[in-house]
Structures are given as C-alpha cells and as structure tokens.
Amino acid sequence: MANLVDEARDLQEEIVAHRRYIHQHAELSMDLPMTTAYVTEQLKKMGYEPQSICQSGIVATAGRKRPGKVILLRADMDALPITEDTEEPFKSTNGAMHACGHDLHTAMLLGAAKLLKEHEQEIEGTVKLMFQPAEETLLGAKTMVEAGVLENPTVDMTMMIHVATGMPIPAGLILTPGSGSFSATSDWFGIKIQGKGGHGAMPEMAVDPLIAASNIHLGLQSILSREMAAADSVVVTIGKYAGGQTANIIPDCAEMEGTIRTFDNAHRDFVKKRMNEIVEGIATAYRCTAEVTFGNGCPSVLVPKEGSVDFAQIMEGLFGASSLVSMEDIMPGGKLMGSEDFAFITEKVPGIMSVLTAGDAREGYVYPQHHPKAIFTEDVLYRGAAAYAGFALEWLQKQS
Ligand SMILES: [Zn+2]
Ligand SMILES: [Zn+2]
C-alpha cells in the first residue's frame, strides 16, 4: 500500500491544478454551478458516471466488480462569504473565499477518484464518492442524506478529511481520531426582547429592554458556571448584541444572537431548556417580554471504536507512524469545539473524521481557517488523496 502514496505523488501536479481552479471559482452554500460542473467533468474524464442527486450534490461510484461492503468518501466543496486577502496568484476575486480549505478536500477526493479508477479491479466492494455543498451552512450533508446518498447501494462505512492550518504543527500529518464525539454539536439562537421605547430623560415612562438584555447576557453564563459539571465542554456565545439608535432615546426592543456548542445531545437539550427559562424569567423581572428562537444546528460527529482502530492501522501502513498525530496534539483539551455537518452522516452510518495538517504557523502559515489571510500548503494534497483511496481499499479488504 505504500506504493499508493507514490502513485498519489505522481498525481500531485494534477491535484494542485484541481485545487487552484476550485479556489479561484469559490462559490457559496448550496449554489455551486462552476464547482460542480468542474467536478462532474473531471470525474467523467476518469471514466466515472457522476450523478447529481440534489442541488450541487454529486455522487459517483467505483468498484462493484467484486462483492463486498460499501464505503463512502466525502469531500465538501463550498466556500465562505469572505473577501480574500492573500497574495496567492490564484486568489479568488469574487467576494467568496475558500478560507476553510474545502477546495483542498475536493481536489484530494478527485485525486483519490483517479487512484481508485486505476485500482478498480482490486476494490473488494464499492467505493462511493460524495461531493457535497453547504457544509458551512450545515445544510449540505443533511440534504444529501435526504436525497439518498446513503442508499443504492447502502453505505456501511464513511470517511472524511479536513485540512488544518495556522497551528504550530508540521504539515502533512494525519490525525487518528479516538472513538466517541469528535466535533461539537452546533446550534444558533436569536433572542428578541420587547420593552417600551421612550424619552431618555423619563425612564419611568418607558420599559428599557437594554436592562433586560444586559441581565440576560450575564444570566446565560450561569448555565455553564453553575449548572454544568466543570468537566463538561459547553459553550454559549453571544456574538451579536444590538439595541438602540441614539443617546437620549430608550429603545423599544433589543436583540441578541449566538451559538451553543456541546458534545452531547442531552446537554444540548438542557442548555436550550434553561435558556428559555432564564430569558423569560429575567425579561419578566424587568417588565419586558422575550422570545428565544433556535436555528438549524447539527449533532456531534461520532467515531466508532472499531473504525478508529482500523483507520489508525491503515494510515500507519500508508504513511508510517511518524506521520500520525493525536487529537491532543492538534486541539486544546483534545476536543474540537467546531462543528461538522458530516455529523448528519455519522448519525446514520459509522464514520471516520480525520484532519490533515496543511500549514505550520512557524513556517508562515499563521492565519487560522475562516480568516481572509488564511493560506494552506499544497504540498500535502497527494497525501490526502492517498489517505482517502488507501483507507477505502484497505477497509473493504479487511471486511471481505
Ligand atoms: Zn469552515
Ligand atoms: Zn470546513
């Protein structure tokens, strides 16, 4: 299997070209016409019959020559609404930017698609390639699951890779996940506080929603400090806090928006329940009314024990033990507080989430993902392609 890494290295230039095209044509959420046209054309050139199963969702299969299980490899293709501020010669100039590295994922999976075609006779079962839209808006994986990506043929195992930059870690390492929750659950919320506007000089005639908002902001923090165990990892962040127009007017209403992160659906439900109670109680105490609304969120990515052991063994066989890193090496506390909509897949089918390091902060890759100056090293692209293809081939062989 070490040969597969050499074969992938031979495709490096091609994978870089894929990455640069996709990077330069960054597109958002569910609307990826240029990206999907490119991916479809490349897959057809390799001999695949790609299917569009929903808006901007592409599936192609390799293998099916021999009986066996079905493994799904997933790449996301969407960018972020950020104006790129890098010096890359292939930078995007359309107001959207691949600042999370999904362009690398798509290019790596195209590289893997080529390797799998070349090894198609050896595939002991079926490999399904999933190119999804809208990871950043948490809509893509869910939409593709609803469109049947896990059926016909029914998927037994899944795997994805996310690149990482901006940390003081050498590039080209592969994270071997432990079992259990890999990423946090994610929920968005909005709070509307209704008071009664009035003259700033006569507060007794008004009901000030900003007083209620201030106390609600502080009150919500007590859920974490007083109601959750210290070892539980929960975040409640208010990222937007708005109300009022000018100095001498008491506003009519105030608004807050924020996000909740947990690693457990029970915590997720508990935080939401307590938020409702605290917001309503504090608003009432200050003579206001308030409403909390929750937006579409996603669960945790769950990695099964057996799959994580298989993944580590296969990656060690491909790249050697010195190329592997653990979660503790990459994330403070060994947990990813970010979320991944791949969780909608691991809710149904066992799956592996891995990380490929793609930019060492000590070597100039100082900006984190989602930053307008974030850059990634392309040197690692062939490794991602080999990891995708190698895991699929070997996992299927282990099952047969
Ligand atoms: Zn992202
Ligand atoms: Zn991402």
Side-chain angles (χ1 to χ4, degrees):
M1 266 301 156
N3 289 339
L4 198 71
V5 180
D6 292 333
E7 288 170 39
R9 199 183 278 113
D10 292 340
L11 298 178
Q12 169 70 4
E13 221 172 285
E14 205 176 307
I15 305 171
V16 167
H18 294 324
R19 188 262 165 150
R20 292 187 176 190
Y21 179 89
I22 295 161
H23 191 91
Q24 209 155 21
H25 299 86
E27 296 175 301
L28 299 176
S29 194
M30 294 296 288
D31 193 20
L32 316 174
M34 288 180 288
T35 308
T36 50
Y38 181 84
V39 168
T40 303
E41 185 198 325
Q42 295 304 319
L43 289 170
K44 281 185 179 163
K45 266 195 211 165
M46 296 173 204
Y48 284 91
E49 291 167 22
Q51 310 267 316
S52 166
I53 65 161
C54 61
Q55 187 190 5
S56 302
I58 302 169
V59 180
T61 53
R64 310 190 82 165
K65 312 265 190 256
R66 297 164 179 238
K69 295 215 166 184
V70 180
I71 183 166
L72 177 144
L73 304 175
R74 177 275 210 161
D76 41 12
M77 304 185 283
D78 58 317
L80 286 152
I82 294 174
T83 300
E84 182 162 355
D85 189 18
T86 71
E87 303 297 318
E88 301 286 33
F90 50 87
K91 74 186 235 184
S92 162
T93 54
N94 66 3
M97 176 188 176
H98 273 290
C100 202
H102 299 182
D103 51 336
L104 285 90
H105 307 162
T106 305
M108 295 183 318
L109 192 56
L110 283 172
K114 187 146 192 186
L115 291 170
L116 289 164
K117 254 300 164 206
E118 283 161 7
H119 289 268
E120 193 156 29
Q121 298 304 325
E122 299 147 49
I123 298 175
E124 312 244 16
T126 302
V127 185
K128 219 180 226 193
L129 308 172
M130 168 182 178
F131 293 90
Q132 79 155 73
E135 193 288 320
E136 296 290 355
T137 50
L138 306 179
L139 293 169
K142 195 166 188 259
T143 305
M144 287 190 78
V145 169
E146 282 163 8
V149 70
L150 301 176
E151 308 303 327
N152 295 319
T154 301
V155 173
D156 300 294
M157 180 54 138
T158 65
M159 190 274 255
M160 63 154 285
I161 302 173
H162 206 302
V163 291
T165 187
M167 286 177 285
I169 300 170
L173 302 181
I174 292 189
L175 172 109
T176 51
S179 58
S181 290
F182 185 98
S183 65
T185 68
S186 172
D187 289 289
W188 300 323
F189 62 85
I191 302 172
K192 263 206 159 102
I193 301 147
Q194 186 65 49
K196 186 176 156 221
H199 198 296
M202 289 173 281
E204 76 281 12
M205 305 289 284
V207 177
D208 190 347
L210 298 182
I211 294 291
S214 307
N215 282 283
I216 286 170
H217 193 188
L218 296 173
L220 291 178
Q221 300 310 314
S222 72
I223 303 175
L224 313 188
S225 66
R226 301 292 81 188
E227 300 185 33
M228 308 290 304
D232 290 334
S233 304
V234 176
V235 173
V236 175
T237 288
I238 307 277
K240 181 180 168 187
Y241 187 104
Q245 299 290 337
T246 192
N248 60 352
I249 298 175
I250 293 169
D252 206 43
C253 59
E255 269 179 39
M256 286 183 254
E257 286 175 20
T259 183
I260 308 165
R261 307 297 167 108
T262 76
F263 281 91
D264 184 305
N265 278 336
H267 292 160
R268 200 180 174 196
D269 293 342
F270 176 76
V271 170
K272 287 184 185 174
K273 176 176 163 282
R274 290 296 292 139
M275 279 185 70
N276 277 320
E277 291 164 356
I278 289 170
V279 169
E280 202 192 308
I282 294 178
T284 306
Y286 291 95
R287 300 179 296 150
C288 293
T289 55
E291 190 191 4
V292 190
T293 50
F294 296 98
N296 60 317
C298 84
S300 277
V301 170
L302 295 174
V303 176
K305 178 137 188 45
E306 205 178 310
S308 75
V309 171
D310 287 343
F311 183 77
Q313 276 172 359
I314 294 170
M315 290 304 119
E316 188 174 338
L318 278 172
F319 300 105
S322 61
S323 287
L324 308 186
V325 278
S326 72
M327 197 66 179
E328 284 71 24
D329 296 328
I330 289 198
M331 288 292 155
K335 278 182 169 169
L336 175 67
M337 289 313 299
S339 60
E340 234 307 332
D341 85 343
F342 185 63
F344 287 112
I345 292 172
T346 62
E347 232 179 9
K348 312 255 184 211
V349 178
I352 301 293
M353 176 171 178
S354 179
V355 173
L356 172 64
T357 56
D360 185 338
R362 296 163 302 188
E363 291 175 3
Y365 295 85
V366 291
Y367 294 100
Q369 275 140 286
H370 288 213
H371 191 285
K373 289 184 187 289
I375 50 169
F376 301 82
T377 174
E378 293 174 327
D379 296 349
V380 304
L381 283 168
Y382 77 92
R383 294 170 80 81
Y388 268 129
F391 182 64
L393 287 167
E394 293 235 348
W395 186 84
L396 287 171
Q397 202 172 43
K398 270 183 177 235
Q399 312 304 312
S400 67

